[in-house]
Amino acid sequence: MPAIVLVGAQWGDEGKGKATDLLGSRVDYVVKFNGGNNAGHTVVVGEEQYALHLLPSGILTPGCTPVIGNGVVIDLSVLFGEIDGLTARGVDCSRLVVSANAHVIAPYNRTVDKVTERFLGSRKLGTTGRGIGPTYSDKMNRVGIRVQDIFDPHILEQKIAGALDQKNHLLVKVYNRRAIAVAEVCEELLGYAERLRPMVRDTGLELSTALDDGRTVLFEAGQATMLDVDHGTYPFVTSSNATSGGACTGSGVPPNRIDRVTAVVKAYTTRVGEGPFPTELLDAEGETLRRTGGEYGTTTGRPRRCGWYDSVVARYSARVNGVTDFVLTKLDVLSGRDRVPVCVAYDVDGVRHDEMPMTQTDFHHAKPVYEDFAGWSEDISACRRFEDLPKAAQEYVEALERLSGSRISVIGVGPQRDATIVRHDLLG
Ligand code: GDP
Ligand code: IMO
Ligand code: MG
């Protein structure tokens, strides 16, 4: 009965939501350990499509306990909005557990996120505008508001006053915005207290006990390796640790309890927001991938930037996360091409790099070195066994497996739960 971490291997939107949902009733707990409602996971169950932002994908599985860990930043209005939306559609959200140590996205942090981006102009990061970065900044600055603070009005008021002290100077004097009143924020956050109280627990203790009792726990990352604040394409990253190490710090479960690490990787690459992307296609091929793959953001609706599979990124992800299995998604989107290029290395100012360049400058200069693989014309969405795939598709998967540094255990051939080829059991 393992503890398994599931991460994104690229720049997000690899299909982590579907991969988590696939494991379904075999998992007792699904833990979100980083990020907040910057995430957007689309999960298709039968005829129903769900867009999840803050809630762990395990919420859709009856009997599974979804956990929001200490590493997450929570926008309480989004939390209850999402719970209400799902409840109205018949999803039971009563098992949700929230860490007392998770940080709260205060309304002023949404404001700071938006005005900072506007102020940066052409140097902006293209954030989701949800207040994620400023809330993690407050956490590291030790002026954050935690879930537990909401149950002590006196402390809450003091902490909000502390956080707003500097921010109001910034908002008024630099950004030319109105000052935010402590009482206004206090009142808003206190308004959630009674509804929140029954969900709040010592989640680190609960998860450790669950593992002692032989339960299966899945730690589900938001965002992805290349958006990780330490290991991604800094500064064009999110503000949390989306790599497997974040599962420990973001949940209170230590590394020696983790048995497996699964990385979800798309059969091509996408990215939302600004920042370097060596295999990006700015031509008609990119537009075709976007159209065929439906590559528009679940959270902001922005068109995703699209490009070919980058095995340098995949190899890097395998190493940084300690990947034991890959889930390769959206192979079906590549059908109908004569050839499928794969980036096998970078050329940086005339020098070949087989590994991720060490510096940001080199990564910005990286030109992909492509190897072409034969394409296939068949619709593969009905394939359920590896042998059912056209020979060229099988060879493409085997090539990615060779180039990416870990076995490909599951292959996605469509958005539905059953549009999946399982080669090795992720929990086995
Ligand atoms: P996440 O953020 O990693 O959970 O991914 P998103 O949900 O943002 O984006 C992945 C999109 O791809 C969703 O719309 C999924 O329904 C869809 N999807 C997942 N796996 C597959 C697959 O194998 N084939 C196709 N065609 N779509 C998939
Ligand atoms: P999922 O979990 C793709 C990107 C934003 C921006 C950068 C910083 O669905 O894979 P932030 O609001 O986090 O400060 O923005 O990170 N980003 C994502 N891109 N998928 C996501 O989540 C993302 N979450 C954040 O577009 O470039
Ligand atoms: Mg997404």
Side-chain angles (χ1 to χ4, degrees), residues 57-299:
S57 307
I59 197 93
L60 299 174
T61 304
C64 171
T65 302
V67 178
I68 296 185
N70 59 276
V72 174
V73 291
I74 305 177
D75 185 324
L76 292 167
S77 65
V78 172
L79 177 71
F80 292 117
E82 211 163 302
I83 290 174
D84 289 344
L86 287 178
T87 307
R89 293 175 69 182
V91 176
D92 174 17
C93 298
S94 64
R95 295 176 319 277
L96 179 69
V97 178
V98 176
S99 167
N101 287 348
H103 280 247
V104 171
I105 302 180
Y108 46 79
N109 283 334
R110 285 193 300 267
T111 310
V112 171
D113 194 357
K114 289 189 185 120
V115 292
T116 313
E117 281 282 275
R118 213 168 301 143
F119 192 76
L120 285 170
S122 63
R123 292 178 296 119
K124 73 177 193 294
L125 300 178
T127 73
T128 59
R130 302 300 195 257
I132 305 295
T135 305
Y136 279 112
S137 297
D138 280 2
K139 173 176 173 173
M140 293 308 173
N141 259 334
R142 294 156 293 186
V143 293
I145 309 295
R146 294 191 293 174
V147 161
Q148 57 185 279
D149 299 327
I150 292 182
F151 307 118
D152 188 333
H154 180 63
I155 288 287
L156 181 67
E157 190 181 348
Q158 277 182 13
K159 291 196 172 184
I160 292 172
L164 276 176
D165 197 25
Q166 287 185 9
K167 269 190 200 71
N168 271 337
H169 286 295
L170 191 72
L171 284 172
V172 172
K173 292 179 185 154
V174 179
Y175 296 123
N176 204 19
R177 306 278 293 214
R178 73 171 179 89
I180 296 174
V182 175
E184 190 184 302
V185 178
C186 223
E187 191 186 324
E188 178 178 334
L189 296 184
L190 285 173
Y192 298 113
E194 284 325 301
R195 229 185 136 184
L196 189 60
R197 196 185 291 275
M199 302 173 185
V200 178
R201 297 237 269 279
D202 181 342
T203 48
L205 175 64
E206 181 153 343
L207 291 168
S208 292
T209 309
L211 286 167
D212 288 343
D213 292 345
R215 306 244 182 259
T216 300
V217 179
L218 176 73
F219 299 88
E220 180 197 55
Q223 295 74 54
T225 305
M226 302 309 282
L227 290 172
D228 182 285
V229 68
D230 282 281
H231 303 292
T233 47
Y234 190 91
F236 299 98
V237 292
T238 191
S239 299
S240 67
N241 286 116
T243 45
S244 58
C248 295
T249 52
S251 72
V253 171
N256 60 350
R257 303 217 69 162
I258 307 292
D259 301 286
R260 307 280 285 269
V261 180
T262 291
V264 186
V265 70
K266 226 177 258 194
Y268 50 96
T269 311
T270 63
R271 171 162 208 173
V272 195
E274 308 303 316
F277 177 1
T279 63
E280 180 171 19
L281 294 164
L282 297 165
D283 54 8
E285 296 244 57
E287 188 48 48
T288 307
L289 279 178
R290 188 173 307 115
R291 204 182 50 248
T292 323
E295 297 296 355
Y296 295 88
T298 313
T299 301

Side-chain angles (χ1 to χ4, degrees), residues 6-8 12-20 38-44 49-52 57 220-224 264 266 268 270 292-299 304 327-333 381 411-416 419-420:
L6 189 135
V7 297
D13 305 322
E14 296 89 351
K16 297 177 290 291
K18 179 191 157 180
T20 298
N38 47 348
H41 309 304
T42 302
V43 181
V44 183
Q49 181 167 313
Y50 299 92
L52 302 169
S57 307
E220 180 197 55
Q223 295 74 54
V264 186
K266 226 177 258 194
Y268 50 96
T270 63
T292 323
E295 297 296 355
Y296 295 88
T298 313
T299 301
R304 294 174 181 152
V327 172
L328 180 72
T329 59
K330 297 197 140 179
L331 187 62
D332 52 303
V333 174
S381 57
I411 301 165
V413 292
Q416 304 78 11
T420 308

